[in-house]
Amino acid sequence: MPTLPSYDELPVVPGAPKGSSWGLWGPDDRLGALNLLTPEAALAGAACVRDGAVFNLNLELELPGPPLFRRERLEHVVKDLGTIGHDDLLVNMNTQSSSQWDGFRHMRHPVVGHYNGIADEEHGVHFWARRGLVGRAVLADVERWRASAGRPIRQGEADVITVDDLQSTLDAEGVEVRPGDVLLLRTGWLGWYRSLDEPGRQGVSEGRFRAPGLERGRVAAAALWNLHISAVAADNPAVEGGPPPGPYDSETASGWRDADEAAEAMLHFSLLGLLGIPIGEMFDLDALAEHCAADGRYTALFTSAPLNLQNGVASPPNALAVK
Ligand code: UVW
């Protein structure tokens, strides 16, 4: 595993503000922190397998329904092939309507652009698909820890999960995040969403985005970088909480005057645009969390096979955890 600089030691690269990993893995790099998913990381993941319990981390493709952020609703057409059988046709599939990896094309840093200074059309999830994501996952069940600490997470609100909450959760679980780990952060949002009736789900997708999530800004970006994780994925819609402040518009992602302001506004800008840390959203972590709580082990083998979609912006994760 390469020795990585701390957030404060990251060199300032021409064209990028302080707090970027541009150039760290070479000028043509499209993998960012996924470079940490080395053969050793895969072996570290495999070493976590004890009883062979397998957990699907992917939400039903049809959920949330209706999708959030004005995204398209998947239409599943089953084509009749007559006497032979059937084909599937997925119409209107937005790679971010359900569980997803946000790729480096998804969001640019509003001031300096896409990760590593590479044009967006030259990024793509096919680079990640070719690599294949295999390593050790660490589950931070913040929902469980916050409840045990007498501060249950308030669903349907922008309840902030602080970096301290995250660290206290890991401490309570007795687990240490190691370089290359995939950090899985459970907020309880998905379980809450599943409990909603039809009008409740409609309200979530039509109203202003309001969800508990990780705090925004440099403190959180630095904390995640300093863990030297290969990726972070949560069971909520954006890892960070919502609504985003200021002039956020999911279609233009514009409006911030300078890099400092942008870095504080959305974790997406720092993680995707500057640090190259992939963001996973709406991962289904509930069954895994139950198992971890029962056996007291919060690590697992993690695998994910993003779509081999040329220059794809994002992808369903096709992720599994094995314990
Ligand atoms: C937000 O940025 C709020 O989420 P997404 O990554 O799904 O666009």
Side-chain angles (χ1 to χ4, degrees):
M1 198 64 68
T3 307
L4 293 176
S6 72
Y7 185 83
D8 289 331
E9 291 163 353
L10 280 166
V12 179
V13 177
K18 190 166 163 40
S20 101
S21 69
W22 289 17
L24 198 66
W25 283 285
D28 299 327
D29 177 60
R30 273 96 162 156
L31 295 174
L34 294 178
N35 280 292
L36 296 170
L37 291 178
T38 57
E40 293 74 31
L43 289 172
C48 298
V49 178
R50 303 252 180 95
D51 58 22
V54 178
F55 300 91
N56 162 45
L57 307 183
N58 314 284
L59 192 50
E60 295 92 316
L61 275 178
E62 296 79 7
L63 291 181
L68 310 183
F69 311 131
R70 304 194 292 273
R71 289 192 169 121
E72 291 73 13
R73 194 196 268 269
L74 175 72
E75 192 191 333
H76 179 197
V77 177
V78 178
K79 284 171 61 181
D80 190 349
L81 301 183
T83 51
I84 297 172
H86 301 90
D87 273 358
D88 280 317
L89 189 60
L90 301 182
V91 185
N92 241 357
M93 182 176 169
N94 184 317
T95 52
Q96 290 175 265
S97 289
S98 186
S99 304
Q100 72 204 249
W101 284 121
D102 283 356
F104 296 148
R105 281 194 87 174
H106 173 47
M107 277 203 193
R108 53 188 283 278
H109 184 278
V111 180
V112 296
H114 291 273
Y115 169 66
N116 220 9
I118 292 173
D120 87 281
E121 66 273 15
E122 292 173 22
H123 276 291
V125 290
H126 66 288
F127 291 106
W128 302 6
R130 281 183 203 157
R131 173 96 175 190
L133 280 49
V134 180
R136 189 179 90 133
V138 170
L139 174 72
D141 191 349
V142 185
E143 194 265 345
R144 195 174 296 265
W145 179 80
R146 281 270 303 259
S148 73
R151 290 191 296 120
I153 292 178
R154 288 168 280 117
Q155 301 296 342
E157 295 181 37
D159 190 338
V160 176
I161 293 170
T162 64
V163 165
D164 282 350
D165 287 339
L166 173 60
Q167 192 54 56
S168 298
T169 301
L170 295 168
D171 291 346
E173 293 173 350
V175 69
E176 192 192 351
V177 176
R178 297 188 202 141
D181 284 348
V182 176
L183 178 64
L184 302 177
L185 189 153
R186 182 171 171 273
T187 68
W189 184 86
L190 206 51
W192 169 80
Y193 179 83
R194 282 192 193 279
S195 75
L196 298 176
D197 59 12
E198 202 66 31
R201 292 178 181 194
Q202 196 85 30
V204 171
S205 68
E206 285 171 3
R208 184 144 162 76
F209 169 51
R210 238 167 245 296
L214 197 56
E215 66 177 281
R216 297 163 184 285
R218 277 222 172 75
V219 170
L224 292 179
W225 174 265
N226 287 336
L227 289 172
H228 297 317
I229 52 174
S230 52
V232 57
D235 65 340
N236 72 352
V239 174
E240 57 196 303
Y248 176 76
D249 179 318
S250 64
E251 273 155 20
T252 62
S254 63
W256 283 276
R257 282 189 307 277
D258 60 39
D260 280 340
E261 199 184 350
E264 291 303 315
M266 280 192 78
L267 214 40
H268 272 58
F269 299 151
S270 297
L271 297 187
L272 296 178
L274 299 184
L275 294 168
I277 299 179
I279 296 177
E281 301 174 357
M282 294 186 285
F283 276 42
D284 193 349
L285 304 177
D286 287 356
L288 175 66
E290 282 301 319
H291 194 278
C292 292
D295 74 0
R297 281 196 308 121
Y298 286 82
T299 55
L301 169 66
F302 176 86
T303 70
S304 166
L307 293 182
N308 200 347
L309 174 64
Q310 296 302 295
N311 302 108
V313 170
S315 175
N318 300 313
L320 298 175
V322 189
K323 283 195 67 191

